[in-house]
Amino acid sequence: MSGPVGLDRANLAEHLATAGVPERQLRMRTNQLWGWLYRRGAASYDAMSDLPAGLRRALAERLPWQRPTVSEQQVSSDGTIKWLIRMHDGREVEAVYIPEPDRGALCISSQVGCTLSCTFCHTGTMQLVRNLAAGEIVEQLRIARDTLGDWDDGQPRRLTNIVVMGMGEPLFNYDNVRAALRIAMDGEGIGISRRRITLSTSGVVPRIGEVGHDLRTKLAISLHAVTDELRDVLVPVNKKWNIAELLAACRAYPHDGRPITFEYVMLDQINDSDAEARELVRLLQGFPAKVNLIPFNPWPGTNYGCSPWKRIDAFARILEDAGYASPVRRPRGRDILAACGQLKTQSERARRERVANAA
Ligand code: SAH
Ligand code: SF4
């Protein structure tokens, strides 16, 4: 345990009780603490000026709070901000803020590395190092709000949306992701509603029903191929849960009439033919869906290339003619390697260090 961030109210109340808060004050103190953590963005117990000094000291002793630190912050020419965040054990993950004229999304990581190895994904070339704790997921939001000056100050929020699309497969760290998103959705704190949160999964089918039951956020599915043969290669988790099973889970998801997003990375001459677009239309028939076409973002060492723009357009037109919205995702923050699938960091740095040490 590395502090109060990530604990739910019941847990915080327990810690407050052991720190000496009498039963009749527990609710009030829990709410105060919650407000400091998630509405006002306190960086330490000391900053919580309306908690008695003795209580602040007791908390610091019983629940020592080590915040992750920002080891690097990069700002792209398009306004995208990428943070490299160092956890208390030295592990690092990335979070990316993507501003739009009327909203701003923070792309957060759920794991250090990833157990899966999708062949076109940079994170996938790095092994799983570990799951992030709930607090480490929430801290990504707090760090972004710190940088953006985005705490409760009467101004419109800059960070309005969350996408769980950073490093890692969120449904392989589901308990912590769920705890973190519940905190993010809490109206007395960070206050980002489930309608503004999108969870992206490569297709961990048994967990999709649980997300529908527990969180009901928006869902994005990394489909990327229309045959099991190709998807087995691109998204190897498909060997465990195939396209038919994945789509059945999506059909059963309580989407409240809002479309489920299917992500489809455009890989030159791999998955981008007209015939594949038509097959995609056939697969999606019968439930509200939207297809997000993602131009492949190259990274050092990859053998894949991005489909030409004309090809992406033609693919999109087939989907649109069939009635499916199919926006092409504009790559953001490419100049700082912050675009989808480019997050890697840890092993890259390790490699750089090894090379430097050997020299
Ligand atoms: N593990 C989850 C979420 C993180 S990946 C998942 O796979 O859905 C977020 C999105 O980026 C996924 O749709 C993923 O397939 C896509 N992606 C990965 N590498 C990419 C790349 N090099 N170019 C474009 N998109 C990529
Ligand atoms: Fe992991 Fe998602 Fe990358 Fe696949 S695309 S390796 S699931 S982070």
Side-chain angles (χ1 to χ4, degrees):
M1 181 97 45
S2 54
V5 175
L7 301 180
D8 62 15
R9 285 168 196 273
N11 247 311
L12 287 179
E14 269 171 42
H15 284 286
L16 285 165
T18 54
V21 173
E23 175 74 31
R24 68 194 147 71
Q25 286 185 6
L26 266 185
R27 204 188 166 87
M28 174 196 64
R29 294 290 183 217
T30 305
N31 287 339
Q32 279 177 308
L33 186 52
W34 191 269
W36 278 111
L37 293 173
Y38 303 124
R39 207 173 53 246
R40 304 211 241 181
S44 66
Y45 294 119
D46 272 343
M48 303 180 179
S49 50
D50 55 4
L51 294 188
L55 176 57
R56 283 184 262 154
R57 268 196 306 277
L59 283 172
E61 255 167 47
R62 281 155 200 280
L63 188 57
W65 184 4
Q66 294 169 289
R67 281 197 74 185
T69 53
V70 175
S71 30
E72 214 175 302
Q73 179 179 318
Q74 286 176 281
V75 182
S76 158
S77 52
D78 67 12
T80 301
I81 306 175
K82 179 169 88 170
W83 294 269
L84 179 60
I85 300 172
R86 179 186 287 257
M87 304 304 172
H88 62 91
D89 64 352
R91 299 295 184 194
E92 291 176 321
V93 295
E94 291 175 337
V96 179
Y97 175 71
I98 307 147
E100 306 270 357
D102 56 342
R103 57 186 218 142
L106 187 73
C107 176
I108 57 175
S109 293
S110 54
Q111 300 181 307
V112 185
C114 189
T115 33
L116 302 177
S117 41
C118 303
T119 44
F120 55 89
C121 172
H122 207 194
T123 310
T125 62
M126 148 183 200
Q127 290 191 332
L128 176 74
V129 179
R130 69 169 173 86
N131 281 329
L132 291 182
E136 294 172 327
I137 299 171
V138 176
E139 283 284 17
Q140 297 173 55
L141 295 159
R142 286 180 22 103
I143 285 170
R145 283 220 158 141
D146 285 347
T147 312
L148 297 168
D150 203 30
W151 293 107
D152 207 11
D153 56 0
Q155 300 294 316
R157 295 275 79 84
R158 295 176 71 189
L159 197 176
T160 58
N161 291 60
I162 299 172
V163 294
V164 191
M165 290 189 188
M167 297 164 75
E169 168 48 57
L171 298 192
F172 278 146
N173 184 19
Y174 182 56
D175 289 351
N176 291 328
V177 167
R178 179 178 54 195
L181 292 182
R182 280 185 172 149
I183 290 171
M185 287 186 228
D186 187 291
E188 309 282 303
I190 295 172
I192 297 182
S193 91
R194 64 183 173 84
R195 292 181 191 80
R196 290 176 171 272
I197 300 179
T198 303
L199 193 148
S200 174
T201 179
S202 58
V204 183
V205 167
R207 292 281 190 205
I208 291 176
E210 290 183 59
V211 179
H213 178 264
D214 302 340
L215 300 169
R216 293 175 69 188
T217 57
K218 291 202 281 185
L219 205 58
I221 304 287
S222 294
L223 191 63
H224 306 314
V226 293
T227 62
D228 284 322
E229 196 187 357
L230 179 59
R231 197 164 187 272
D232 280 350
V233 176
L234 298 180
V235 188
V237 77
N238 193 68
K239 291 185 211 150
K240 204 151 184 186
W241 300 290
N242 65 21
I243 295 177
E245 291 168 296
L246 179 56
L247 293 179
C250 293
R251 285 201 175 85
Y253 192 80
H255 48 69
D256 304 335
R258 284 169 299 134
I260 291 183
T261 300
F262 289 86
E263 295 162 283
Y264 198 95
V265 64
M266 297 302 292
L267 300 169
D268 189 22
Q269 300 193 18
I270 301 281
N271 64 354
D272 62 352
S273 69
D274 286 353
E276 282 158 311
R278 285 192 291 270
E279 178 60 12
L280 184 52
V281 168
R282 202 188 63 77
L283 285 177
L284 298 183
Q285 244 160 28
F287 70 106
K290 163 179 147 183
V291 181
N292 213 328
L293 298 176
I294 316 177
F296 171 65
N297 288 308
W299 35 271
T302 180
N303 290 324
Y304 292 111
C306 181
S307 310
W309 287 105
K310 265 175 75 178
R311 184 87 296 276
I312 300 181
D313 267 351
F315 198 96
R317 190 144 335 118
I318 292 173
L319 295 169
E320 265 155 24
D321 286 350
Y324 292 100
S326 51
V328 179
R329 190 181 290 170
R330 210 156 34 100
R332 301 291 304 267
R334 261 193 185 178
D335 53 340
I336 55 171
L337 280 186
C340 270
Q342 293 185 324
L343 307 184
K344 187 177 177 195
T345 330
Q346 185 77 28
S347 57
E348 278 253 294
R349 299 192 119 215
R351 179 150 23 104
R352 277 209 301 270
E353 275 159 24
R354 273 201 304 277
V355 171
N357 289 341

